Amino acid sequence: MLPFHTQSSRARRGRLFEILGHATPWLVLLLGLGGTAWAWRVLTVQERSFQSGRLDGALAQTREAVDHRLEEQTKLLLGAQGLVVGRPRLVAEDWRAFVASLDLRRLSPGTRLLGYVSREALEGRRGAAFLLEPEQAAATLGPKGAGLLSLPGFQEAADRARMTGELALSSRLDVPGEPAGSIAFVLPVFRDFAVPDGPEARQSGFQGLVVCLADGSAMFQAIYGASPIANLDVEVYDDPSCQAGGLIYDRDFCLATSGLSMTLRPGSKRIPLMVGGRQWTLVVGFHPQAAGARENRPRMVAVGGALMSLLAFGLTLFLAYSRSRLGALTHQLQESEDRFRSVAETVSCAIFIYSDQIEYMNEAGARIAGYAMDELIGEPLLKLVHPYDQDLVEARSKGLLRGDSVPLRYEFRLRTKQGETRWIDFATGTVTLGDRVLGLGTAFDVTERVKANDARLKVERKLHEAQKLESLGLLAGGVAHDFNNLLTVIQGNAGM
């Protein structure tokens, strides 16, 4: 039997391993999900930093492109202003020739018409006309382009240009017959190009307005239609509130795609632009649905990490269950072995487990053979058998392991370590351990019984011999008596 402290230590280790086995799957799951969350957070921060850098670059490029486009429009208006000042009596043919020479489609994409509105036309004097080219575009504004003054927002831009003496932009103008909104660039014309200092001087020196009516979508599409920045969306509004009614340009609409307004998407950026006395708002962002592999990395890592964590959790849980089950079976086996050892070490008979060599022998067997237990394990069984009985024991042992029908109980002699011969009553069978078939035998020391039996047999033989001698004596006595009687008769007859 194992000492009590050894059993207690083994039990404590078993409980510790059981607790660790139950906790390990949850620790694996916790570590896996924690690592996944950390990796997702790091990649998300990196991606946001990367997208912010891309967005800042897009904003800088967009700002530069818008400024350049407005500069081109201003140059166009300054050229028209020079024509008006240089020709005090400007007629329609001169204006038509000037506009035709500009090639507006190439020089200023998106420009619908270029015109000059004199002071007299603005004040509504009879006979004053609008000089607007091309004529087919001006036709949408009514007879002689008079409808231009009735467009909401144009009059406000005209008054602002007249009062400030600088370029003024209108709000979005909805021109009849045009699907997209328009913008009016208005530049005042004063005598000798000089802008008077005071309001009264500007009022007296005012000659008229040079007007450029541009299609906002077409104008900005020339800038962003083939943007080198992938998945970029740009929206331009004519006021800071970014209301749908003030939308001048939307790249989604121009590219025939649809989606949520960029102003409502997370991650978009707004930048104010002061243009011609008005504040435009430039909104720039990237399409989330068009995100590539880089943008999806945090999501992919999160999903993949969660799946791997769950897989590791399931595998660890299965291993923990298997380990627990194996531990239970090991514990049962250990208990069974302890019970076997307890029985084997306390019985008085010898117990052998053997094949061609001794696999196990209890203390009783070692005492009978006169050896220490460690001296016999691994030794041939025939080492203990008396030479006169080795053939018998070998034949029956091998036959038993082969499955032959052999006597399962017989007696034979042992040769002890001290050279003493002892008789044992040997009962044998088989036991399967793993994939091995071994012999299992029990033996009782019957030396004293055999000796007593031999002594009894000797006594019986002597008694038998004595009985034979006694019978012979009785026979001889009877014969002598008969012979004596016969002699007596013979002597009597002789005397007669």
Side-chain angles (χ1 to χ4, degrees):
M1 290 290 289
L2 292 174
F4 176 76
H5 70 276
T6 303
Q7 295 183 9
S8 177
S9 176
R10 179 180 294 176
R12 286 196 299 269
R13 287 198 301 270
R15 286 194 296 271
L16 178 60
F17 288 146
E18 183 178 0
I19 293 173
L20 291 177
H22 288 308
T24 297
W26 298 101
L27 290 176
V28 169
L29 180 62
L30 181 62
L31 291 176
L33 293 179
T36 299
W38 177 82
W40 172 81
R41 178 61 180 170
V42 170
L43 288 176
T44 300
V45 171
Q46 290 179 352
E47 183 56 31
R48 287 177 180 174
S49 177
F50 173 75
Q51 291 293 353
S52 179
R54 288 184 66 197
L55 203 56
D56 290 341
L59 278 172
Q61 176 183 333
T62 299
R63 179 68 179 268
E64 182 180 355
V66 170
D67 290 342
H68 178 72
R69 187 69 184 87
L70 295 177
E71 183 180 352
E72 293 296 324
Q73 290 293 113
T74 303
K75 288 180 180 180
L76 177 64
L77 292 174
L78 288 174
Q81 185 188 54
L83 175 66
V84 173
V85 174
R87 294 191 181 184
R89 296 186 178 275
L90 186 65
V91 295
E93 288 74 11
D94 296 333
W95 186 257
R96 185 177 300 111
F98 169 74
V99 174
S101 66
L102 293 178
D103 189 10
L104 294 178
R105 180 174 296 181
R106 179 187 62 81
L107 183 64
S108 180
T111 299
R112 286 179 172 167
L113 58 85
L114 186 64
Y116 171 65
V117 183
S118 65
R119 180 173 182 171
E120 292 78 7
L122 286 173
E123 294 174 352
R125 297 181 187 179
R126 180 175 296 183
F130 292 79
L131 299 179
L132 302 176
E133 293 292 336
E135 290 185 356
Q136 60 271 25
T140 60
L141 298 174
K144 298 181 181 181
L148 181 63
L149 296 178
S150 63
L151 291 177
F154 177 79
Q155 189 63 50
E156 185 270 335
D159 293 340
R160 185 158 28 90
R162 186 172 181 175
M163 295 300 296
T164 61
E166 298 176 351
L167 176 69
L169 265 70
S170 71
S171 59
R172 170 174 167 160
L173 304 177
D174 293 322
V175 179
E178 297 293 342
S182 300
I183 307 166
F185 294 80
V186 182
L187 185 66
V189 179
F190 297 94
R191 297 186 184 92
D192 301 328
F193 288 103
V195 179
D197 292 335
E200 295 181 359
R202 283 195 290 271
Q203 180 67 22
S204 62
F206 178 70
Q207 285 188 271
L209 299 172
V210 178
V211 180
C212 176
L213 192 63
D215 183 335
S217 293
M219 180 177 66
F220 286 102
Q221 189 175 4
I223 302 175
Y224 301 110
S227 174
I229 303 177
N231 307 326
L232 178 68
D233 188 20
V234 181
E235 295 175 0
V236 182
Y237 294 86
D238 67 354
D239 60 7
S241 64
C242 299
Q243 298 296 322
L247 181 64
I248 299 174
Y249 171 74
D250 184 357
R251 187 166 184 253
D252 269 351
F253 179 77
C254 294
L255 294 180
T257 59
S258 61
L260 190 66
S261 172
M262 186 55 63
T263 59
L264 301 178
R265 289 177 182 157
S268 62
K269 287 190 176 183
R270 302 186 185 190
I271 181 171
L273 293 174
M274 293 304 300
V275 182
R278 290 189 64 85
Q279 178 178 324
W280 283 4
T281 302
L282 188 64
V283 185
V284 180
F286 293 100
H287 292 287
Q289 67 270 22
R294 179 183 177 90
E295 291 81 355
N296 285 327
R297 282 193 308 168
R299 184 183 299 110
M300 293 169 61
V301 167
V303 174
L307 290 177
M308 291 300 295
S309 299
L310 291 175
L311 180 62
F313 170 73
L315 180 61
T316 311
L317 188 63
F318 172 75
L319 292 177
Y321 171 77
S322 300
R323 183 184 180 89
S324 176
R325 182 62 179 167
L326 180 61
L329 293 176
T330 303
H331 180 68
Q332 294 176 2
L333 180 62
Q334 186 64 46
E335 288 185 343
S336 176
E337 181 180 353
D338 291 342
R339 286 194 298 270
F340 171 77
R341 287 184 178 276
S342 176
V343 172
E345 300 303 330
T346 55
V347 296
S348 59
C349 67
I351 298 178
F352 299 84
I353 297 179
Y354 61 91
S355 54
D356 55 346
Q357 62 184 19
I358 298 174
E359 304 283 345
Y360 170 78
M361 178 180 285
N362 66 347
E363 292 183 1
R367 285 196 304 269
I368 293 174
Y371 288 89
M373 292 181 64
D374 55 356
E375 292 179 326
L376 291 174
I377 303 302
E379 295 293 330
L381 178 64
L382 297 179
K383 179 179 179 179
L384 302 177
V385 182
H386 194 279
Y388 292 164
D389 296 333
Q390 286 184 356
D391 293 340
L392 171 68
V393 174
E394 182 179 14
R396 292 188 176 182
S397 298
K398 290 183 177 180
L400 176 68
L401 296 177
R402 287 195 305 265
D404 298 342
S405 177
V406 296
L408 300 181
R409 184 172 182 177
Y410 53 96
E411 295 181 356
F412 61 87
R413 286 163 288 190
L414 289 182
R415 176 68 61 86
T416 66
K417 184 178 181 179
Q418 294 76 22
E420 182 184 359
T421 300
R422 303 192 68 83
W423 282 86
I424 62 171
D425 183 358
F426 189 65
T428 186
T430 58
V431 61
T432 302
L433 298 178
D435 56 350
R436 302 176 63 196
V437 177
L438 302 176
L440 173 62
T442 59
F444 288 91
D445 186 355
V446 295
T447 303
E448 299 302 326
R449 191 195 70 187
V450 170
K451 288 181 179 180
N453 189 51
D454 289 343
R456 181 181 60 80
L457 291 176
K458 288 180 181 180
V459 171
E460 288 180 353
R461 283 197 297 269
K462 289 181 180 180
L463 180 60
H464 183 64
E465 290 176 356
Q467 289 177 346
K468 288 172 61 177
L469 292 175
E470 182 180 2
S471 297
L472 288 174
L474 292 175
L475 178 60
V479 170
H481 179 71
D482 293 338
F483 187 71
N484 188 37
N485 291 333
L486 181 59
L487 287 177
T488 301
V489 172
I490 293 172
Q491 289 178 354
N493 292 331
M496 294 181 61

